[in-house]
Amino acid sequence: MKQKYPYLHYRHRRAGGIDEIPGCRSIPKNPCSHLSNGNNLHLILSSFRALFAFIILTILTFASAVNPANALVEIDITKGNVDPLPIAIPGFVGNGSQAKIARDIASVVEADLKRSGLFKPIDHGAFIEKITNPDVSPRFSDWKVINALALVTGRISREADGRLRTEFRLWDVFGAEQLTGQQFFTTNKNWRRVAHIIADAIYERLTGEKGYFDTRIVFVSESGGKAKRTKRLAIMDQDGANIRFLTNGSDLVLTPRFSPSRQEITYMSFAGGQPRVYLLNIETGQREIVGNFPNMTFSPRFSPDGQRVIISLQQGGNANIYTMDLRSRKTTRLTNTPAIDTSPSYAPDGSKIVFESDRGGRQQLYVMGAGGGSAQRISFGTGSYSTPVWSPRGDLIAFTKQSGGKFLIGVMKPDGSRERILTEGYHNEGPTWAPNGRTIMFFRETPGANGGPRLYSIDLTGYNEQRVRTPGFASDPAWSPLLE
Amino acid sequence: MKLGVTTSVIAHSLVLSWGLLTLSAPEPLNVADVEALPVDIIPIEALTKSIKGDKKAPLADKPAVKPTRKPVFEKKSINIGDTKVDTESPRNAIPAPSPVEAAAPPKSAPEPKVKPRDTAEVKPQESPEQVPAPTTELAAEPEQKVKVAALTPEEKAPVSREVEPLPQDEFRKLPDLVPVPQLRPATAQAKTAKTNQRKEADKPASKQAKTAPKSKSKNKTDELAALLNRQEAAASGAKRSRKRASLGTKKSNRATKLSQSQMDALRGKIQGCFNLTAGMADAEELRATVTVKLKRSGELEGRPKVTASGGNPGVRRAFKGAAKRAVQRCAPYDELPQDKYETWADLVVNFDVSDML
């Protein structure tokens, strides 16, 4: 290898040579009084240089020997685009009377995926190939050109018994293969649900996480002027369609919550003058009071198994947390402090409870075991924290934070670390998680005489904030689990 | 006065000698230390290309390029005029190689010598065949083209007739003709073939050539065979190298790695194609490796192989898909340097976004 570095070698020799004796030059008065000394020094130095050169050469020799010509390039990718994934969803194929519904289903799927913020449906005008038979492979080159990473094709047809048959296929354009394909049978009316289920399937296959499109939202619909608001309990599909009202608006209602296992809602109502927590069966309309408490009960929430309701009970100037078993009607007291403990929320595994309390002076978040006992404070930022909600994924807790005259919605880990603020505004409150733990819905109130609350959703990344369309004002949203 | 002088001398000498002993030379400036390290600023490419060879390198380090190419011709090379022993080819083939290049004429001399031996030792049937064969081929092609051309048209008719005797050729190929080594006037040929004698020998050879084509031109296939023979002989000139292969690679030794900037460009390209879900669960644990072969054109050869680990099964599958899609989407990799194809024929891409999310 030596011959490969004649240059290097040469430089070293010259630097150590006799022709340059810098010491001599730099002391003009006594030119070379130290010459002999200097020569010795140079001898030593030059031998050092030789050694140094040798070491360098050895290192380089080894370095080049270790890198033989291997026909392999290895590259580490540590970054990527978090841009929404471009997806092409041409209208489904349908004949005659099914043509319209076929188009509608595809557009509902498209809207769902777009709203999630993780997908970017490609404009239909860019499509080159017209899908006529979803059973054969599309011409992938046509979809590559418009840079669609995924393609959804489908077909609607009517069965002999009058039911709709919907089938779809999800294609990986660049891999030229089918990723998934399913078919559904349903009644004519139910086509929106089928569309949501298809969107869920696509979402799950491409992101690896459960979808949340086949879900509903229960919320408080508000109408009338600011002084005299009528508040009604309402329910709608996650995309704002199919609104139904559950109460008639004669009584004030607050904080509705979905049961994780049944078509039941728990909420707080002022019916009969005394604010109490009620349980409402959506399908039958049957209503009952939770527990038999003498005082005001509020901020209810179901346990993850749907067997218990956890509430706050006012006791004098304080409030404590209780649970009630829905079968045995037995109540258990979990906290006993001279402070206001409220807004309890279970961890998804049911082992812990997060709640807000002003036992430390201001409202802060605390975590305790599901059976009560000592609580541990987890929020330490400036301002006060309230309405904690444990994510269905279990990894985060969403909260409302009041700081600097603003209301912020944020998330933190269950141990209180890594607090992140997702959004802020004049008045944000009441976060609720989508069942997959990726999206949070909350309501935001606008100031002014004509202002009022509206529903918004935001992605966990904090980027994809969107308004959820409702007729009139709306507050206190609560997300249902995935429908069955 | 004297006392003063002596004391002064003594005192001075004392002082001087004390000075000589104790006052050493002034402290040398230690600048040399600083200068001892010449620093060169070298572009990173100089390092990545450091494997490049040097023309002035000693022979010991020679890349063994030749042996890898030659083995195809190895067997045939035995037929060369220079080799002394030929055990494989039938003796009829002997004359054929001799016409190689300009060496034709000299054979006129040896041939007569050969004939007697042939007749004496080998079966009489074969001798007539052998004798004409060499002379015709040798003389006709290299030098007497004009004359031959004149002759051949006249005798084209016989060619067609005598195509039948082709079995002669088959005969030649028969391995039954055993005593090959004896037949060869190898030494004689070698001597006469030397350049000095060739030109003189040409003239007599030409006479024979005239006669020779008559016999041979009947058989065009033989002429073709002669041509073919010639090519074979020419191609087989090299001896197999017995030198040890050096540590060098079989392929070219030039710049065996992509330069740093080329790697960066490739990385940037794939990153641009890599589309992943924002806020993926368990992103810290997810790893994926895509292995794929590339064609020279930069396109993928076959489907990429993907392995992934970490995360829950659903997320892992999605991550796997995203990694594979990135590599597929970026193809073709036609910006990679063609002359370094050997280095990027296999592409391995590791995906790890733990620092990102």
Side-chain angles (χ1 to χ4, degrees):
Chain A
M1 296 305 286
K2 268 189 183 177
Q3 73 282 352
K4 289 182 183 175
Y5 306 99
Y7 175 67
L8 199 72
H9 219 57
Y10 171 68
R11 290 297 293 271
H12 277 273
R13 210 175 49 220
R14 201 179 61 170
I18 316 164
D19 51 346
E20 280 185 346
I21 306 175
C24 279
R25 283 182 193 163
S26 57
I27 308 173
K29 278 183 183 175
N30 191 3
C32 286
S33 65
H34 65 288
L35 194 58
S36 62
N37 211 346
N39 267 341
N40 277 338
L41 194 71
H42 269 283
L43 212 72
I44 293 166
L45 276 180
S46 60
S47 63
F48 263 115
R49 279 172 201 143
L51 186 68
F52 180 68
F54 175 72
I55 289 171
I56 291 276
L57 279 176
T58 318
I59 289 171
L60 286 176
T61 309
F62 271 99
S64 49
V66 168
N67 287 329
N70 47 351
L72 190 135
V73 172
E74 188 155 1
I75 282 186
D76 292 337
I77 302 293
T78 54
K79 291 190 189 107
N81 296 322
V82 284
D83 300 339
L85 185 136
I87 187 170
I89 311 178
F92 285 11
V93 177
N95 295 324
S97 57
Q98 276 78 255
K100 184 181 180 300
I101 214 169
R103 271 200 313 276
D104 289 347
I105 285 191
S107 60
V108 168
V109 171
E110 203 169 2
D112 276 350
L113 294 176
K114 185 178 183 183
R115 208 168 337 102
S116 74
L118 300 180
F119 297 88
K120 186 182 75 188
I122 293 171
D123 181 45
H124 289 216
F127 295 170
I128 299 166
E129 186 190 8
K130 182 169 166 53
I131 301 289
T132 51
N133 182 4
D135 291 337
V136 296
S137 290
R139 287 198 304 272
F140 291 111
S141 54
D142 283 0
W143 302 98
K144 271 183 200 172
V145 170
I146 60 172
N147 210 15
L149 288 191
L151 167 69
V152 180
T153 61
R155 173 166 51 200
I156 313 284
S157 54
R158 190 171 296 279
E159 291 290 285
D161 57 4
R163 289 183 306 164
L164 274 186
R165 173 183 154 157
T166 312
E167 51 196 311
F168 83 97
R169 292 171 197 270
L170 172 64
W171 305 90
D172 180 345
V173 171
F174 283 85
E177 59 188 349
Q178 178 180 320
L179 292 178
T180 184
Q182 292 172 17
Q183 59 175 327
F184 310 92
F185 297 91
T186 181
T187 59
N188 227 347
K189 274 185 178 176
N190 238 352
W191 66 269
R192 282 195 87 91
R193 256 202 88 183
V194 171
H196 292 316
I197 290 170
I198 291 174
D200 276 339
I202 295 168
Y203 182 98
E204 185 172 350
R205 183 61 185 83
L206 290 178
T207 68
E209 294 176 38
K210 283 267 176 205
Y212 59 89
F213 303 118
D214 186 25
T215 54
R216 289 192 275 187
I217 311 279
V218 62
F219 64 101
V220 175
S221 172
E222 304 188 10
S223 51
K226 204 157 195 175
K228 195 189 171 194
R229 276 273 151 84
T230 312
K231 295 194 175 188
R232 289 182 293 174
L233 216 51
I235 189 167
M236 64 180 181
D237 287 355
Q238 141 288 138
D239 60 350
N242 294 335
I243 288 197
R244 273 197 296 148
F245 292 99
L246 301 173
T247 60
N248 57 16
S250 56
D251 305 313
L252 194 67
V253 289
L254 284 174
T255 63
R257 306 286 180 234
F258 243 106
S259 161
S261 55
R262 276 189 294 260
Q263 292 296 310
E264 275 182 344
I265 292 169
T266 177
Y267 65 100
M268 175 189 168
S269 169
F270 285 79
Q274 174 81 320
R276 282 181 192 280
V277 171
Y278 288 82
L279 208 58
L280 174 71
N281 189 310
I282 302 173
E283 278 154 359
T284 62
Q286 192 183 344
R287 200 173 70 157
E288 61 176 304
I289 294 178
V290 174
N292 186 16
F293 299 107
N295 295 324
M296 177 172 89
T297 52
F298 55 99
S299 73
R301 209 179 279 275
F302 282 96
S303 67
D305 58 4
Q307 297 301 316
R308 274 164 294 164
V309 173
I310 186 165
I311 54 172
S312 288
L313 169 67
Q314 184 207 349
Q315 291 171 324
N318 301 327
N320 281 305
I321 294 173
Y322 286 76
T323 61
M324 189 192 88
D325 192 301
L326 291 177
R327 280 193 191 138
S328 63
R329 305 278 151 184
K330 197 180 118 198
T331 55
T332 315
R333 180 182 181 133
L334 296 183
T335 64
N336 186 8
T337 54
I340 298 175
D341 299 339
T342 184
S343 296
S345 171
Y346 275 100
D349 61 359
S351 65
K352 286 180 181 169
I353 294 167
V354 63
F355 62 98
E356 73 173 77
S357 169
D358 63 353
R359 61 182 71 174
R362 308 189 71 168
Q363 289 163 304
Q364 298 290 348
L365 306 187
Y366 294 80
V367 170
M368 66 176 174
S374 67
Q376 196 184 351
R377 179 171 161 182
I378 59 165
S379 65
F380 293 96
T382 54
S384 61
Y385 295 77
S386 57
T387 66
V389 195
W390 215 305
S391 151
R393 216 153 74 175
D395 57 347
L396 293 171
I397 290 172
F399 55 83
T400 307
K401 180 178 181 180
Q402 251 181 296
S403 174
K406 284 188 170 177
F407 284 76
L408 315 112
I409 303 286
V411 292
M412 62 170 68
K413 294 209 156 201
D415 59 3
S417 65
R418 297 187 67 174
E419 178 181 324
R420 281 192 294 136
I421 298 301
L422 301 180
T423 184
E424 59 175 60
Y426 165 70
H427 182 201
N428 295 315
E429 212 178 333
T432 176
W433 288 95
N436 72 351
R438 271 202 59 97
T439 304
I440 291 173
M441 197 177 283
F442 59 96
F443 71 94
R444 168 178 295 166
E445 201 156 349
T446 47
N450 296 321
R454 288 196 173 88
L455 302 190
Y456 287 82
S457 71
I458 191 162
D459 194 70
L460 206 49
T461 59
Y463 287 114
N464 179 35
E465 184 177 298
Q466 296 195 351
R467 205 187 132 191
V468 182
R469 299 272 158 204
T470 52
F473 294 124
S475 63
D476 272 344
W479 217 309
S480 85
L482 276 174
L483 302 180
E484 280 150 19
Chain B
M1 182 67 184
K2 260 195 177 179
L3 183 73
V5 170
T6 47
T7 42
S8 152
V9 165
I10 288 169
H12 272 90
S13 60
L14 272 176
V15 167
L16 281 174
S17 58
W18 174 81
L20 268 177
L21 286 174
T22 55
L23 296 178
S24 58
E27 285 282 315
L29 203 64
N30 262 349
V31 194
D33 257 345
V34 183
E35 273 211 25
L37 289 176
V39 174
D40 280 349
I41 295 174
I42 308 171
I44 186 80
E45 289 212 345
L47 277 180
T48 52
K49 284 183 177 171
S50 67
I51 302 167
K52 188 176 178 178
D54 189 340
K55 280 182 182 174
K56 292 172 187 170
L59 284 179
D61 223 14
K62 224 190 216 169
V65 177
K66 284 182 181 173
T68 58
R69 288 182 190 169
K70 294 297 172 188
V72 184
F73 304 106
E74 205 183 333
K75 271 196 173 177
K76 291 168 187 168
S77 73
I78 292 170
N79 265 345
I80 301 183
D82 283 347
T83 49
K84 292 180 179 174
V85 184
D86 181 354
T87 49
E88 286 197 6
S89 56
R91 65 191 127 137
N92 291 332
I94 299 164
S98 60
V100 172
E101 312 278 327
K107 273 153 202 170
S108 57
E111 274 153 16
K113 293 172 192 171
V114 179
K115 285 170 193 168
R117 283 182 199 169
D118 282 356
T119 48
E121 297 171 2
V122 188
K123 300 162 191 174
Q125 298 174 349
E126 296 169 0
S127 59
E129 297 170 6
Q130 294 169 358
V131 180
T135 49
T136 54
E137 291 174 15
L138 307 180
E141 287 146 14
E143 297 172 277
Q144 303 264 339
K145 278 175 187 171
V146 187
K147 292 172 188 173
V148 173
L151 287 173
T152 44
E154 299 170 5
E155 300 197 353
K156 266 180 185 171
V159 173
S160 59
R161 285 172 208 159
E162 291 202 2
V163 170
E164 296 166 6
L166 273 177
Q168 292 176 350
D169 292 39
E170 291 174 9
F171 257 98
R172 292 173 194 168
K173 289 169 190 168
L174 285 178
D176 301 328
L177 314 174
V178 186
V180 180
Q182 294 180 348
L183 285 181
R184 260 199 195 180
T187 50
Q189 279 185 354
K191 286 170 189 170
T192 53
K194 283 179 182 173
T195 47
N196 295 341
Q197 296 179 355
R198 274 182 197 169
K199 286 172 186 173
E200 297 167 13
D202 281 356
K203 289 161 191 173
S206 64
K207 286 172 192 170
Q208 287 187 349
K210 287 174 191 170
T211 59
K214 286 172 192 170
S215 58
K216 259 289 161 158
S217 59
K218 297 169 186 171
N219 217 340
K220 265 206 168 179
T221 51
D222 280 355
E223 285 181 29
L224 284 175
L227 278 172
L228 288 175
N229 268 346
R230 180 191 289 177
Q231 284 175 347
E232 285 173 356
S236 58
K239 279 186 178 178
R240 195 182 184 189
S241 165
R242 288 186 188 171
K243 279 182 182 163
R244 244 195 186 178
S246 74
L247 287 176
T249 56
K250 287 179 183 173
K251 314 253 169 130
S252 93
N253 238 355
R254 289 173 301 134
T256 43
K257 286 179 83 179
L258 292 183
S259 72
Q260 209 59 37
S261 53
Q262 283 163 336
M263 294 277 277
D264 286 342
L266 183 57
R267 183 178 302 119
K269 182 176 180 181
I270 297 179
Q271 271 174 9
C273 294
F274 185 40
N275 208 322
L276 74 164
T277 314
M280 239 176 193
D282 309 326
E284 314 84 48
E285 306 161 15
L286 285 170
R287 305 279 183 280
T289 301
V290 181
T291 314
V292 69
K293 277 193 179 302
L294 295 179
K295 295 180 190 163
R296 204 168 265 280
S297 61
E299 284 163 35
L300 304 188
E301 189 164 354
R303 283 176 184 273
K305 268 183 264 169
V306 197
T307 54
S309 62
N312 69 57
V315 175
R316 196 186 313 137
R317 189 167 70 152
F319 190 69
K320 229 168 133 175
K324 188 171 130 196
R325 223 172 288 128
V327 174
Q328 285 172 328
R329 191 183 175 192
C330 267
Y333 298 88
D334 45 10
E335 75 284 353
L336 291 171
Q338 283 295 315
D339 55 336
K340 293 179 185 172
Y341 172 67
E342 285 80 21
T343 69
W344 51 262
D346 288 287
L347 178 64
V348 176
V349 191
N350 298 317
F351 292 86
D352 172 3
V353 292
S354 52
D355 298 336
M356 182 186 167
L357 301 174

